Amino acid sequence: MIERTEEYSNSAMEDVSTEHRIKTQGGRKSPPADRSPDSKPQVRGRRRSASLSRLQPSIEPVLKGVFSRIGKPPDREFIPDEFQLQALDAIKKTDCLVMAPTGSGKTWIAEQAILSVFRAGGRCWYASPLKALSNAKWVEFSQQFGAEHVGILTGDTKENPDAPIIVGTTEILRNQLYDVMQQGENLRCDLVILDEAHYLGDRDRGVVWEEIMIYLPVRVNLLLLSATIGNGEEIAAWLFSLREKPCTVIREERRPVPLFPLLLHPSGRVMPLMEGRKLYGKVVEYIAAGKTRRGGKSAAPHIGDIIRLMEGYDLLPAIFFLKSRSECDAALKSCTRLAGKSGSERFFYDLEELLSRFPFLRQHRQLSCLIDYRVASHHGGQLPAWKFFVETMMKKGHLRAIFATSTVAAGVNYPARTIVLFNSDLFNGHEFCPMSGTEFHQMTGRAGRRGQDNIGFMLAVPGRFMDLVHVKKLLFQPPDEILSQIRNDFSMVLNLLLSQTPETIRDIFENSLASYQLQKHNLWREFLRHLEFLKSEGFVDSSDRLTDNGIWASQLRLDQPLLIAEGLRTQGFPEKDEKLLAALVAPFVYDSDQEIPLDKRRTSRKLSRAFARLVRNLGPLTERMTAAGFPVQPLYFWTSVAVYAWASGEDWDGILELLGVSDGEMAMLILRTADNLRQIASLRETHPEMAELAVKARDAILREPVVFEWEG
């Protein structure tokens, strides 16, 4: 990182701004002012926006007292809240579950608990659900405890793994527990912290959290942190029955920054959404009028006009939660009519410092909007480095607004003064459903910055997909209850059989949260079904013990371990070409159903032949799995084409243009491929040549702009 210590003069600030505008015109071009990166120009749409730009900003008189509270609270010496002290006292003795609103100081509890163990010569493991969160905590803890005392373990990063304080993802911690159970050793740890503990109920990843709680040695105290668990007492009672040690429940209801819900009338008038526990009278009138109007509710106002209005009432910075990635990107074009934001010396210093670390972002198509209008789009379709860049600029107070999908609410730490909602429903991956209490609390938890705001706001904007009555209910609805998501898969069964017998595995299932909640009675039957199939495929012998093939296959802690194991057994993977290996692993990590047609004349014949050979080798196994009732994810050739092109050194933008995928989708494909290659690389004893080739394959694909260095 290039250190910058000189101060910018006024002329220097102008030069930097001009320089960045010029640089964004080469390479990846910025979109014209009247169109977004993924839309076509529509004259009719522009006229419609112009007509809707005539908001007449005004406020209900009752809001004058509320708005007078806007501002920064006076600086004062930090004094821990009572719930923080109670939690810290509890975790020194036993397990503890802390449920408190976002921003209330749960991280302080974790830091003090780590400090206590660290000073006593103990070891700690801090696990989070996201690699980005783990990286951020690694930076924070390194600054607090000293870099030499803190390590990180994620699928992408491994630094200082023997440090007394480890930060990582839950999957890595679960895998370590598999290893110590197999080796008959004890986990080298005295305290485990599971942040965002509500992931226990996540449909896709909750099984990992439950496995950690089941396998964790009883001597290791467990600290669970969450803002959104509706049945915390039940989870604690299950842990007590499982671990035979109390789990103290600490619940804090009070928000550190109070939330005031607002409604933006289509005329531009801002009014309270609520009056006590009822909808504000004029809101009720508006809803009633909408039911009688032909066509129903009015269209939502122009986002740029909303930002201008909010700025006039000092309601910025804001996070706009939009329903899709394309909406987030399209929102940028509405900001081109905002007044340009004059830059402070600190803004340009921080901007240049970040861009010197990530120079490839100078060509990012959305950079000019961030510089000129202080707004940014943030979602899963973007590069990890861009998201980190946007988050950093927001946390430093340089942005007016961020346009984000709801997924940003879960775990990313950059609150705002106001969050803006346009929809009362969310897409769950399959369909749009009414927003749940947990989802609502995750989003509204970002409203109000502790130490920077006296009050936070939620601004509801009426529109086609906004049910204000449902929002009213959500304001008083507790978070959802967590239900067990544990299930059998081949990776779990193989790893349990490394150290357990079927009888002890049955005991594990009987101690699961699923059994405690009496919601799943087929765990044992599903285990036996997986076991019989593994026997028929030669991974388990007649004595229910792993064969040699089963032992090394258990190290493939992946979504599709049997298929990759079969590819290795049948020599379906290339043995000399690391680019081909990376390309042929890619289809196994793609879990969506998008097929992208390709021009065969533009694809490598070598790749086509290798892919066809692998599919042919796997054919008999996939047929047997399907016949036995096990799902088999299709292998999409375009994923191999994408990763092969990247491993071969082709241009990033050219690959995206050829395939029509987003930055984030491509980056995620590569990162997941790299993680699977890491698992293959662990087979050094049984497959040394393939393991060495997998290391080379990872090196061929892990480079900018997919990966970047995290620094304090």
Side-chain angles (χ1 to χ4, degrees):
M1 180 177 72
I2 300 175
E3 294 292 337
R4 298 291 298 273
T5 57
E6 73 275 16
E7 294 296 325
Y8 284 98
S9 65
N10 288 336
S11 61
M13 286 190 285
E14 293 171 2
D15 291 342
V16 171
S17 182
T18 303
E19 174 193 8
H20 287 309
R21 289 193 190 97
I22 292 172
K23 286 183 177 178
T24 55
Q25 310 214 349
R28 314 177 101 196
K29 293 183 172 58
S30 301
D34 61 347
R35 63 179 298 188
S36 69
D38 59 352
S39 66
K40 298 179 180 179
Q42 294 181 342
V43 175
R44 182 177 300 174
R46 293 202 299 274
R47 288 175 180 166
R48 177 175 176 273
S49 296
S51 67
L52 286 173
S53 67
R54 298 170 186 160
L55 289 177
Q56 300 296 319
S58 63
I59 64 170
E60 289 286 294
V62 71
L63 288 178
K64 291 181 179 179
V66 177
F67 282 11
S68 69
R69 296 164 57 191
I70 293 175
K72 183 177 180 179
D75 293 333
R76 64 181 180 89
E77 181 183 358
F78 174 75
I79 301 175
D81 291 334
E82 183 61 28
F83 85 92
Q84 293 174 306
L85 296 175
Q86 291 175 357
L88 197 56
D89 181 63
I91 195 58
K92 292 177 180 178
K93 306 169 186 174
T94 187
D95 296 341
C96 183
L97 167 59
V98 180
M99 296 170 290
T102 300
S104 59
K106 295 187 293 294
T107 298
W108 182 87
I109 298 171
E111 291 171 349
Q112 295 302 308
I114 290 172
L115 182 61
S116 177
V117 173
F118 176 61
R119 283 176 172 171
R123 304 173 64 86
C124 304
W125 227 108
Y126 185 103
S128 81
L130 306 174
K131 292 177 182 177
L133 279 178
S134 297
N135 281 316
K137 290 299 180 186
W138 176 41
V139 172
E140 291 176 22
F141 290 171
S142 295
Q143 294 171 343
Q144 184 171 354
F145 301 106
E148 69 277 15
H149 299 132
V150 183
I152 183 169
L153 296 173
T154 68
D156 304 328
T157 309
K158 181 180 181 180
E159 296 284 348
N160 204 8
D162 295 321
I165 302 170
I166 293 295
V167 178
T169 53
T170 47
E171 280 79 3
I172 299 297
L173 175 57
R174 188 272 311 271
N175 291 346
Q176 284 195 351
L177 289 169
Y178 279 152
D179 290 337
V180 296
M181 287 193 299
Q182 174 200 359
Q183 296 158 7
E185 299 176 354
N186 218 334
L187 185 70
R188 295 177 59 210
C189 188
D190 302 285
L191 171 66
V192 164
I193 301 169
L194 294 183
D195 202 358
E196 307 292 341
H198 53 274
Y199 267 77
L200 176 63
D202 184 81
R203 180 171 59 180
D204 297 320
R205 300 180 62 198
V207 57
V208 177
W209 296 74
E210 188 164 344
E211 283 188 90
I212 289 173
M213 296 178 195
I214 292 173
Y215 308 151
L216 188 68
V218 174
R219 66 168 185 82
V220 181
N221 283 352
L222 177 62
L223 175 59
L224 306 172
L225 305 174
S226 178
T228 49
I229 294 180
N231 56 334
E233 284 73 15
E234 181 185 37
I235 302 302
W238 164 63
L239 283 171
F240 176 67
S241 70
L242 171 69
R243 291 164 56 79
E244 297 183 345
K245 63 189 295 187
C247 179
T248 302
V249 177
I250 305 293
R251 185 186 294 273
E252 172 62 37
E253 304 284 356
R254 180 179 58 87
R255 286 176 55 104
V257 179
L259 178 72
F260 194 93
L262 301 169
L263 177 116
L264 176 61
H265 190 276
S267 67
R269 191 166 184 82
V270 182
M271 57 184 65
L273 179 67
M274 304 296 299
E275 195 169 22
R277 297 183 69 89
K278 297 181 179 180
L279 288 171
Y280 185 62
K282 291 185 180 180
V283 175
V284 176
E285 293 174 7
Y286 170 75
I287 294 173
K291 291 179 179 178
T292 60
R293 282 196 304 266
R294 184 176 181 181
K297 300 174 181 176
S298 303
H302 197 277
I303 287 179
D305 297 325
I306 296 176
I307 293 176
R308 189 182 297 112
L309 178 149
M310 294 176 69
E311 195 160 38
Y313 292 117
D314 206 11
L315 295 173
L316 299 181
I319 301 174
F320 286 70
F321 286 113
L322 304 175
K323 66 180 174 64
S324 67
R325 299 173 180 178
S326 60
E327 277 199 359
C328 294
D329 293 337
L332 294 174
K333 70 176 180 179
S334 72
C335 297
T336 56
R337 288 194 290 277
L338 282 172
K341 191 83 169 169
S342 60
S344 66
E345 293 183 6
R346 175 50 57 182
F347 170 80
F348 285 112
Y349 182 89
D350 291 338
L351 177 75
E352 185 59 30
E353 193 270 340
L354 284 167
L355 290 178
S356 69
R357 289 168 58 183
F358 317 127
F360 54 89
L361 292 183
R362 294 183 188 275
Q363 307 302 321
H364 197 282
R365 62 174 68 91
Q366 296 177 358
L367 180 60
S368 61
C369 281
L370 185 147
I371 294 173
D372 293 339
Y373 307 109
R374 306 298 158 80
V375 295
S377 174
H378 180 294
H379 53 70
Q382 292 169 325
L383 291 170
W386 175 257
K387 290 189 288 185
F388 174 78
F389 175 59
V390 170
E391 292 162 15
T392 302
M393 293 298 283
M394 184 70 166
K395 283 190 281 190
K396 289 179 178 291
H398 294 318
L399 301 186
R400 284 165 157 160
I402 282 181
F403 309 124
T405 53
S406 60
T407 53
V408 82
V412 180
N413 182 27
Y414 57 89
R417 178 164 292 168
T418 306
I419 64 112
V420 184
L421 297 181
F422 291 84
N423 311 310
S424 58
D425 59 357
L426 291 177
F427 189 66
N428 64 7
H430 306 281
E431 60 183 344
F432 280 95
C433 297
M435 193 183 299
S436 69
T438 294
E439 292 163 339
F440 182 77
H441 286 292
Q442 287 286 345
M443 284 187 271
T444 55
R446 300 293 157 202
R449 300 160 296 176
R450 186 172 189 172
Q452 298 183 63
D453 289 314
N454 290 317
I455 185 171
F457 298 91
M458 180 205 74
L459 180 65
V461 182
R464 182 180 175 189
F465 303 108
M466 173 60 76
D467 182 345
L468 294 172
V469 175
H470 182 58
V471 172
K472 170 208 161 187
K473 293 177 182 176
L474 291 173
L475 283 165
F476 304 102
Q477 184 173 320
D480 302 328
E481 294 190 352
I482 284 177
L483 296 178
S484 172
Q485 301 298 321
I486 196 169
R487 61 185 183 277
N488 282 277
D489 60 34
F490 286 115
S491 181
M492 175 198 279
V493 173
L494 285 167
N495 276 278
L496 284 176
L497 286 172
L498 276 171
S499 59
Q500 310 289 328
T501 66
E503 290 72 22
T504 58
I505 292 173
R506 185 169 190 170
D507 291 338
I508 288 174
F509 290 154
E510 288 178 351
N511 286 323
S512 68
L513 178 60
S515 295
Y516 188 84
Q517 293 177 326
L518 301 178
Q519 70 175 94
K520 288 187 177 180
H521 300 286
N522 64 342
L523 274 175
W524 178 243
R525 291 197 298 271
E526 278 296 295
F527 168 77
L528 291 177
R529 193 165 72 92
H530 282 74
L531 179 62
E532 289 306 311
F533 190 81
L534 289 172
K535 285 182 177 180
S536 68
E537 295 297 322
F539 293 103
V540 178
D541 63 22
S542 58
S543 301
D544 295 329
R545 295 179 178 176
L546 293 181
T547 62
D548 290 342
N549 280 339
I551 291 173
W552 64 256
S554 70
Q555 301 305 306
L556 299 172
R557 288 155 182 169
L558 311 165
D559 291 334
Q560 303 194 57
L562 292 197
L563 291 181
I564 290 185
E566 184 71 0
L568 293 171
R569 287 202 301 187
T570 62
Q571 298 181 315
F573 290 111
E575 299 178 347
K576 302 293 183 182
D577 189 329
E578 66 270 16
K579 299 187 296 294
L580 271 183
L581 177 60
L584 293 187
V585 168
F588 296 95
V589 310
Y590 184 68
D591 55 6
S592 191
D593 57 359
Q594 180 184 13
E595 179 62 282
I596 298 177
L598 298 169
D599 184 350
K600 293 183 179 179
R601 295 171 297 180
R602 298 184 62 183
T603 58
S604 163
R605 291 183 62 187
K606 181 166 65 171
L607 175 62
S608 298
R609 289 195 298 267
F611 182 84
R613 180 170 180 266
L614 176 62
V615 171
R616 189 165 55 250
N617 284 17
L618 296 180
L621 174 60
T622 58
E623 290 177 4
R624 294 192 296 272
M625 290 181 69
T626 302
F630 295 106
V632 178
Q633 184 74 15
L635 303 180
Y636 291 101
F637 182 53
W638 73 263
T639 61
S640 289
V641 172
V643 173
Y644 186 73
W646 180 242
S648 300
E650 292 191 20
D651 175 68
W652 178 265
D653 287 332
I655 298 172
L656 300 187
E657 183 177 355
L658 171 67
L659 297 173
V661 297
S662 69
D663 282 313
E665 289 169 324
M666 182 69 179
M668 184 59 68
L669 176 65
I670 292 171
L671 290 171
R672 288 179 175 174
T673 300
D675 195 41
N676 276 33
L677 288 167
R678 180 175 59 86
Q679 302 288 342
I680 295 174
S682 69
L683 305 178
R684 289 179 292 272
E685 294 185 5
T686 56
H687 300 74
E689 294 181 357
M690 187 60 67
E692 182 179 353
L693 191 65
V695 172
K696 294 179 180 178
R698 288 187 86 237
D699 292 341
I701 61 176
L702 286 180
R703 64 182 191 278
E704 292 181 345
V706 178
V707 296
F708 62 98
E709 294 297 323
W710 289 77
E711 300 179 30

